[in-house]
Amino acid sequence: MNLNAKFFGAAQIVLSAMMMNAQTSTAKLPGDPTLPSSKETLDKLISYDKGNFKYKVEDYFAKPNASQFKISPDGEYLSYKEKDADKKNHVYVKELKTGKITKAIVEKDDLIGSYGWLDKKRMFFTQDKGGNENTHLYAVDIDGKNLKDLTPFDGVTLNYANIIKDTEFVIVALNKNNKQIFEPYKINFNTGEMTQLYENKDVNNPIDGYIFDKKGNLRGYTVLENGLTTKTYYKDLDTGKFNLIKSTDWKNTFSIIGLNDNSKNKDEAYVATNLDSDKNRIVLYDLKKNAIIKEVYSNPVYDVSSLRTAQKNRNYELDYISYTGVKSEIVPVSKFYKEVHDRLKSEFKEKEFSIVSSDENEDKLLVVVGSDRLYGTYYEYNTKSKQIKLLYNLMPQLKEEDMAEMKPIEFKSRDGLTIRGYITMPKDAVNGKKVPLIVNPHGGPQGVRDEWGFNSEDQLFASRGYATLHVNFRISGGYGKEFKQSGYKQIGRKAMDDVEDGVKYVIEQGWIDKNKIAIYGGSHGGYATLMGLIKTPDLYACGVDYVGVSNIFTFFESFPEYWKPYKEMMKQIWYDLDNPEEAKIAKEASPIFQIDKIKKPLFVVQGANDPRVNINESDQIVKAMRAKGVDVPYMVKYDEGHGFRKESNSIELYKYMMGFFAENFNKK
């Protein structure tokens, strides 16, 4: 499931925490272990992917030999992940003066998630068990010693972590005391000592967000009342009382991005809001006076809610605004960043670039550069000399000139909405030949959208001569609240109409062989695959359902505990199953009840430890299809969750997928 990017401070870790305990013993394997196809059966699919291809599946999906470069706060060390012969990605630290390299973090059976610097001598990393998203936060010295599990609790979810600069503390949110709600804790990352900072007492009206200042003081919080109303409370610095400053329907936005530490007014904050507009915009807000000071930035077409501020060395000034339009857009603000942006823009032209790490003095910046044809390259930029130096090409085996272009498209839906998206076309299509198409609906679905940039799947498909279509159907994020809300209670219905209208549009352009169209997606995209095969059974040649919902009723029943406070929202986004009329619609929009309409071949893929879309969703559809005499290849990995993260599993999946597409596109 794709997630919206949301701005946090440079030292903040954003973690999606949808947890379910992993089960690894054979007797306790999740789901029905008799259902997955044998490896021999799945391996037969690979033989159909025939051709004289310049690139292999491994070229697109093998993890880079080195990645995630970061500069230490004092600028004396460079850290990075490096892959060994067993495909384990350990974290190394290189002392820049001497060139000495030390293995700081060892990856064993479970993948290292995010990692970074706590201070100049200590690092953090996150890790779960087999994709179950029960994430722990660890701290370790740069020489690999003094390893501590800072959140040593089984069955407890880490919701976020915020490093408090120039201290030895990190603030985390855990559902330690009640699985449905999260509470903040202050942890000493050297000793592991933990202190609870605030109680979240009302499970029916829980606090669902905390606002801390740069020193780690609680300055505000948001309460989700009755599952549908967001109430924002702010602390009066004179009285110490938390006062209600805003009450909004959950469909609207009033979100405190962060306090404006550049201002002498300690009550000033950057806020993203659409209370008086269709699109999210950024304003400066006086939280004590409960009033807008001024608008910082808005866009007439796209939501804007992200920004970056400097650190202490430049008194926390606003550096830039960013948002996703047709491409990623950056609006420079500070003098410092304008100079950086102008230099990088002159060097990298139309490619996208972003600063991913710097030392505290900002003498050295690490910049990642990419495009629709370039996976990503790291550069070091010296802000004193203005020199740019190549550091590392993440995917040198993929040559830009061989990659396909991702083109933005725009069309009208059958009921008049403007729908946007992208198509990636192989060279045959560019040269005028009609080619097979893979339709790839995104996950979410609410508030998520597809974006321009390098897409390994698209490039693999293009290397086999297939185009890929991405449609930002109604309910997608980034285009304003009216567009997003037009898709509420339309999942599987009008949202699917938009996908079909996108297919019709690209066929009309003369790009696509209408007899060779497949549909494939993950999470909601997997659900959309099933609904596509049901709703328009003659449109698609085949479909691949990857960790997709098959039954809206059992999907709701399997929510993790900490999703339950949001169930009323989910009723308004999907369907209210307690309402007989809507329950009837939900049944019609649940693939499991419509399998007789599926005429074309289906391939199902699932991570057994998936806490978001339970393995039961895939088991159900496979059982039902096989019961009606249809042989459905079914791939399950028992060391994965909501999507495959391990290199060997991903490569295996795409080899099977390419064989499955080739088999069905080439049927007479």
Side-chain angles (χ1 to χ4, degrees):
M1 181 180 293
N2 296 325
L3 297 173
N4 264 350
K6 184 176 180 181
F7 173 85
F8 287 84
Q12 212 161 14
I13 312 157
V14 185
L15 300 167
S16 174
M18 319 296 186
M19 173 278 301
M20 179 177 291
N21 285 333
Q23 296 169 300
T24 54
S25 67
T26 305
K28 297 181 180 179
L29 288 175
D32 184 343
T34 68
L35 290 176
S37 302
S38 68
K39 190 173 188 305
E40 291 73 22
T41 298
L42 293 173
D43 282 346
K44 289 179 184 177
L45 291 172
I46 298 175
S47 64
Y48 294 103
D49 185 33
K50 298 175 182 177
N52 185 23
F53 306 126
K54 184 172 183 178
Y55 296 104
K56 301 179 296 184
V57 170
E58 287 87 345
D59 291 323
Y60 298 97
F61 291 97
K63 291 183 179 180
N65 289 328
S67 61
Q68 296 187 36
F69 292 82
K70 302 177 191 292
I71 298 176
S72 64
D74 57 10
E76 294 183 6
Y77 298 92
L78 180 70
S79 63
Y80 53 92
K81 283 187 177 181
E82 186 170 275
K83 187 167 63 175
D84 68 13
D86 295 322
K87 303 189 187 305
K88 301 295 184 182
N89 287 269
H90 312 295
V91 175
Y92 293 83
V93 173
K94 179 179 181 179
E95 187 174 13
L96 296 176
K97 282 184 180 179
T98 65
K100 180 184 177 183
I101 296 173
T102 304
K103 186 186 289 186
I105 304 171
V106 178
E107 184 174 271
K108 297 179 182 178
D109 293 336
D110 294 305
L111 301 179
I112 295 169
S114 58
Y115 92 91
W117 291 86
L118 291 165
D119 59 21
K120 62 183 181 180
K121 295 296 182 183
R122 201 148 165 78
M123 308 178 79
F124 73 82
F125 67 97
T126 61
Q127 204 166 45
D128 71 359
K129 294 289 184 184
N132 69 354
E133 300 184 22
N134 179 16
T135 305
H136 287 228
L137 179 68
Y138 297 85
V140 64
D141 291 346
I142 60 174
D143 61 1
K145 298 177 181 178
N146 194 20
L147 173 66
K148 285 190 181 297
D149 184 349
L150 300 179
T151 57
F153 312 108
D154 291 334
V156 173
T157 301
L158 175 65
N159 182 255
Y160 74 84
N162 181 20
I163 300 161
I164 307 303
K165 284 280 194 176
D166 302 317
T167 74
E168 53 184 351
F169 295 101
V170 59
I171 293 175
V172 303
L174 304 170
N175 61 345
K176 181 171 173 285
N177 296 322
N178 186 313
K179 295 298 181 284
Q180 291 193 25
I181 54 181
F182 293 88
E183 296 172 307
Y185 297 82
K186 184 178 182 180
I187 304 175
N188 185 308
F189 57 68
N190 288 315
T191 67
E193 183 181 356
M194 173 183 287
T195 304
Q196 185 168 339
L197 298 177
Y198 204 77
E199 285 188 271
N200 197 355
K201 298 178 181 179
D202 189 349
V203 69
N204 295 315
N205 301 290
I207 297 172
D208 69 342
Y210 298 91
I211 302 146
F212 292 93
D213 64 21
K214 65 179 183 293
K215 295 181 180 179
N217 300 310
L218 182 64
R219 296 285 296 278
Y221 54 82
T222 56
V223 171
L224 181 62
E225 187 173 84
N226 300 319
L228 296 174
T229 301
T230 297
K231 291 191 170 183
T232 302
Y233 289 82
Y234 176 66
K235 184 178 182 178
D236 187 309
L237 295 177
D238 295 325
T239 66
K241 182 182 178 183
F242 287 91
N243 298 314
L244 176 65
I245 62 169
K246 197 68 65 178
S247 181
T248 62
D249 181 88
W250 72 273
K251 296 176 183 176
N252 296 317
T253 300
F254 181 87
S255 175
I256 298 172
I257 300 171
L259 296 165
N260 180 16
D261 294 314
N262 183 249
S263 174
K264 293 180 180 179
N265 179 1
K266 294 184 178 180
D267 298 308
E268 193 172 300
Y270 294 106
V271 170
T273 183
N274 62 8
L275 294 182
D276 52 0
S277 58
D278 177 60
K279 309 296 187 296
N280 276 353
R281 61 194 184 112
I282 297 176
V283 299
L284 265 181
Y285 202 88
D286 190 308
L287 297 171
K288 186 173 183 179
K289 293 180 180 177
N290 198 10
I292 292 174
I293 298 170
K294 68 174 183 179
E295 181 176 287
V296 176
Y297 192 82
S298 64
N299 184 282
V301 179
Y302 303 104
D303 289 327
V304 182
S305 58
S306 297
L307 54 80
R308 179 188 176 100
T309 57
Q311 292 301 309
K312 183 171 62 176
N313 64 310
R314 287 191 284 114
N315 194 31
Y316 310 100
E317 66 178 338
L318 177 60
D319 268 344
Y320 61 79
I321 309 294
S322 62
Y323 65 94
T324 303
V326 173
K327 298 181 180 180
S328 176
E329 301 290 345
I330 295 176
V331 183
V333 176
S334 69
K335 180 178 181 295
F336 173 86
Y337 190 76
K338 283 179 180 178
E339 291 178 355
V340 170
H341 187 269
D342 288 347
R343 177 69 181 92
L344 296 177
K345 189 74 174 175
S346 68
E347 180 76 16
F348 301 120
K349 312 301 181 189
E350 297 305 311
K351 290 184 171 66
E352 293 183 342
F353 54 83
S354 61
I355 298 170
V356 294
S357 181
S358 75
D359 60 287
E360 289 178 339
N361 294 326
E362 296 179 304
D363 294 331
K364 296 176 184 176
L365 309 180
L366 293 190
V367 182
V368 170
V369 179
S371 72
D372 55 341
R373 299 184 182 196
L374 176 64
Y375 182 89
T377 304
Y378 278 87
Y379 291 84
E380 180 186 299
Y381 176 53
N382 188 305
T383 59
K384 304 297 184 186
S385 67
K386 313 299 182 189
Q387 295 300 305
I388 297 173
K389 181 175 70 174
L390 174 64
L391 181 63
Y392 197 82
N393 184 349
L394 293 169
M395 288 285 192
Q397 71 273 23
L398 299 177
K399 305 303 180 186
E400 280 187 74
E401 60 269 21
D402 294 331
M403 298 299 106
E405 177 188 4
M406 177 182 275
K407 296 176 58 173
I409 59 171
E410 183 177 307
F411 58 91
K412 290 290 186 181
S413 69
R414 64 192 67 180
D415 58 353
L417 284 182
T418 297
I419 307 294
R420 298 173 174 88
Y422 303 90
I423 187 165
T424 302
M425 294 197 293
K427 288 180 179 171
D428 281 350
V430 174
N431 295 331
K433 181 182 177 181
K434 292 184 178 182
V435 298
L437 175 70
I438 297 173
V439 183
N440 185 207
H442 64 66
Q446 67 278 5
V448 178
R449 58 159 287 184
D450 283 314
E451 301 178 7
W452 184 87
F454 192 94
N455 186 307
S456 295
E457 291 182 340
D458 287 25
Q459 296 298 339
L460 172 62
F461 299 160
S463 75
R464 271 46 176 178
Y466 311 150
T468 307
L469 175 65
H470 302 278
V471 175
N472 284 327
F473 43 84
R474 70 191 72 198
I475 209 174
S476 299
Y479 301 102
K481 61 185 175 185
E482 184 178 335
F483 183 80
K484 183 165 65 174
Q485 291 175 25
S486 69
Y488 291 168
K489 298 188 186 295
Q490 293 299 331
I491 297 170
R493 301 195 294 162
K494 287 186 178 180
M496 289 303 302
D497 291 347
D498 295 342
V499 174
E500 294 156 21
D501 291 345
V503 175
K504 180 182 177 184
Y505 171 80
V506 297
I507 291 174
E508 289 173 347
Q509 306 314 301
W511 300 330
I512 302 304
D513 181 345
K514 65 180 181 180
N515 296 314
K516 293 184 178 182
I517 302 175
I519 185 168
Y520 149 67
S523 196
H524 165 266
Y527 164 82
T529 293
L530 297 174
M531 286 305 299
L533 295 175
I534 289 164
K535 194 168 179 291
T536 48
D538 297 320
L539 181 60
Y540 300 111
C542 61
V544 178
D545 162 22
Y546 186 19
V547 297
V549 173
S550 67
N551 184 336
I552 296 173
F553 295 85
T554 54
F555 172 55
F556 269 58
E557 289 170 2
S558 65
F559 285 172
E561 286 296 305
Y562 41 83
W563 277 21
K564 290 181 179 177
Y566 302 96
K567 195 167 186 177
E568 293 303 316
M569 286 186 196
M570 292 292 280
K571 288 180 179 180
Q572 293 197 13
I573 294 168
W574 286 71
Y575 302 100
D576 183 352
L577 304 183
D578 296 323
N579 179 314
E581 293 290 327
E582 290 193 25
K584 181 180 178 182
I585 295 170
K587 188 171 183 179
E588 293 169 354
S590 289
I592 195 66
F593 302 113
Q594 313 293 329
I595 60 166
D596 289 341
K597 297 176 182 176
I598 298 178
K599 301 178 180 179
K600 302 297 173 62
L602 173 66
F603 176 25
V604 179
V605 183
Q606 182 70 42
N609 302 318
D610 190 342
R612 311 185 196 190
V613 178
N614 190 282
I615 190 173
N616 181 45
E617 295 300 311
S618 291
D619 279 4
Q620 285 183 73
I621 202 73
V622 170
K623 282 181 180 177
M625 292 295 291
R626 289 177 179 171
K628 74 168 192 171
V630 179
D631 182 27
V632 177
Y634 184 26
M635 179 184 188
V636 176
K637 287 296 181 181
Y638 289 93
D639 56 351
E640 297 282 11
H642 197 63
F644 295 175
R645 297 186 299 165
K646 294 187 175 180
E647 179 180 315
S648 58
N649 292 339
S650 292
I651 290 171
E652 199 174 311
L653 166 61
Y654 287 104
K655 285 183 176 180
Y656 295 155
M657 195 186 302
M658 298 318 297
F660 181 77
F661 288 143
E663 177 190 16
N664 289 289
F665 282 152
N666 295 324
K667 282 181 177 177
K668 302 298 183 183

